[in-house]
Amino acid sequence: MGSVTPWDVTGTVQYDKLIKDFGVKELKQLPSPFSDNILFRRGIIFAHRDFQHIVHAIEQREPFIMMTGLMPTGKFHIGHLLVAQQMIFYQKLGAKIYIAVADIEALGARGQSFEESKRIALEEYIPNYIALGLDIKKTHLYFQSKRSSNATKSCAYYRLQNQFARHATFNEVKAVYGDISPGKLFAAMLQAADMLHPQLPVFSGKMPVIVPVGIDQDPHLRLARDISKRQKYTEFSPLCSTYHYFMQGLSGGKMSASDPNSYLALSESPAVIKKKINKYAFSGGCSTVEEHRKKGGNPDVDVAFQYLRFFFETDDAKLTELANAYRKGTLLTGELKAYTIDKINSFLERHQVKLDRARETVLRLFE
Ligand code: TRP
């Protein structure tokens, strides 16, 4: 059996059990504009806390915010597409987008320097967001170590972190990081400030904020939600969150930037993508062609199929057709992999042209 904590995800993840254990709500199918997005439509975003406030804001055309943060470690890979796609989805719906580069957390939790975090954020994450369609000029992007050159704003953010420290317990921080060190305590309070500070009067003011995360990050959400209710300095609209499945690593488990054989990076060449999928992608097929033709395969555990389902096959009818053919045994693992490689590489070919351009934009804006 697997275990899921913000610092480690192992084994088979039982999402139904997590919904109960964490006390989040199952997300029911929603109409347009949500159903226009494959993550919602295909149930990849499967649970939430207080998402009705966001649905209401969108329906009533009221202002709302999407907030997220990135710990800049390693290459930007297809697992990162889950949140990136949601940023762009919400921005198009009119949300203000706040993005924290979690360089203080990277220092406190992993010992990574601010310079290294900045380099990775500017070379990997931000250009990919732009290339995927994020309008960076309309995005409130900041580094935790340098919130704003406007002193009033900057002080308001760090003041919030310090006020929050009065309202959290050791056990809550332990649930977030597994252990407690001064660096982790500070990082946990700062992440709560990341999620709540957009509602301060000097930023956007009180309004619903959606934080889309993998379910492993829920302890952060619980902590911030509870603190916001315990403290009485500021009135906050309750934090809303949605939870998506993990993008599986090539050989199963969660895709991780620290294991190159688990991820497909968005900057990798067609030859590398092909080699990695053929060599490492876990197959739901049978071990011989004869057996597969007879018994069929299982697309639900097939990693290549999951990549199609999460992102690369946008046509629902085609996806169903592939799943059925695979189950029947008429579609072989090699054929499914070849189809997936082709889909990913044609996406990457277009993406990488935009990525080069986005890197130049980033140099102009942030250097
Ligand atoms: N803890 C997150 C991670 O490990 C990064 C993060 C920092 C974050 N601040 C945030 C995520 C606010 C969501 C919202 O990647």
Side-chain angles (χ1 to χ4, degrees), residues 125-325:
Y125 288 75
I126 300 166
N128 273 292
Y129 294 153
I130 296 171
L132 289 164
L134 186 75
D135 183 344
I136 196 74
K137 294 217 178 81
K138 285 199 201 144
T139 302
H140 304 258
L141 184 126
Y142 63 93
F143 290 76
Q144 285 180 328
S145 66
K146 190 175 186 300
R147 175 60 191 93
S148 174
S149 43
N150 173 324
T152 308
K153 287 187 164 179
S154 231
C155 289
Y157 167 71
Y158 297 112
R159 184 159 58 228
L160 206 56
Q161 175 195 21
N162 286 281
Q163 286 175 333
F164 286 173
R166 173 74 180 82
H167 301 280
T169 68
F170 276 128
N171 278 342
E172 285 168 324
V173 175
K174 214 167 176 173
V176 169
Y177 287 109
D179 70 276
I180 306 166
S181 68
K184 288 175 180 171
L185 284 174
F186 277 58
M189 294 306 106
L190 195 59
Q191 178 151 341
D194 285 332
M195 295 194 266
L196 289 157
H197 86 285
Q199 296 191 59
L200 292 175
V202 289
F203 289 95
S204 298
K206 184 184 169 194
M207 67 175 77
V209 178
I210 173 71
V211 186
V213 291
I215 186 103
D216 58 326
Q217 296 295 309
D218 188 52
H220 273 294
L221 265 301
R222 282 195 304 256
L223 176 61
R225 282 167 59 93
D226 291 347
I227 289 176
S228 78
K229 287 172 199 155
R230 286 175 206 148
Q231 61 78 42
K232 297 282 176 270
Y233 318 101
T234 308
E235 203 188 313
F236 294 105
S237 178
L239 273 178
C240 314
S241 48
T242 55
Y243 304 92
H244 47 258
Y245 293 144
F246 302 120
M247 185 74 89
Q248 280 182 62
L250 284 162
S251 50
K254 186 183 166 191
M255 187 171 285
S256 159
S258 56
D259 175 10
N261 292 342
S262 87
Y263 66 68
L264 301 174
L266 270 72
S267 53
E268 281 174 327
S269 70
V272 171
I273 298 290
K274 182 173 177 190
K275 192 183 124 206
K276 281 188 171 182
I277 292 183
N278 280 332
K279 193 163 171 191
Y280 301 113
F282 180 81
S283 159
C286 295
S287 44
T288 67
V289 172
E290 293 73 46
E291 206 188 335
H292 186 91
R293 291 249 186 252
K294 227 193 294 163
K295 293 187 187 157
N298 180 1
D300 300 333
V301 299
D302 191 282
V303 167
F305 184 81
Q306 292 312 312
Y307 295 167
L308 294 174
R309 181 165 99 89
F310 273 54
F311 199 73
F312 297 102
E313 178 56 78
T314 49
D315 180 343
D316 290 355
K318 179 72 192 173
L319 191 73
T320 307
E321 185 190 312
L322 289 166
N324 290 341

Side-chain angles (χ1 to χ4, degrees), residues 1-57:
M1 251 234 304
S3 108
V4 174
T5 60
W7 63 95
D8 198 24
V9 176
T10 53
T12 315
V13 182
Q14 294 177 305
Y15 290 100
D16 292 345
K17 186 166 183 299
L18 289 178
I19 288 180
K20 281 207 203 90
D21 290 355
F22 287 181
V24 298
K25 291 224 165 67
E26 211 175 312
L27 190 65
K28 298 274 179 310
Q29 284 293 326
L30 291 159
S32 179
F34 300 100
S35 57
D36 307 333
N37 180 298
I38 64 171
L39 299 178
F40 283 100
R41 190 168 72 234
R42 295 183 182 164
I44 294 161
I45 299 169
F46 68 98
H48 74 102
R49 287 184 192 276
D50 281 337
F51 191 57
Q52 66 280 4
H53 297 301
I54 302 300
V55 175
H56 179 87

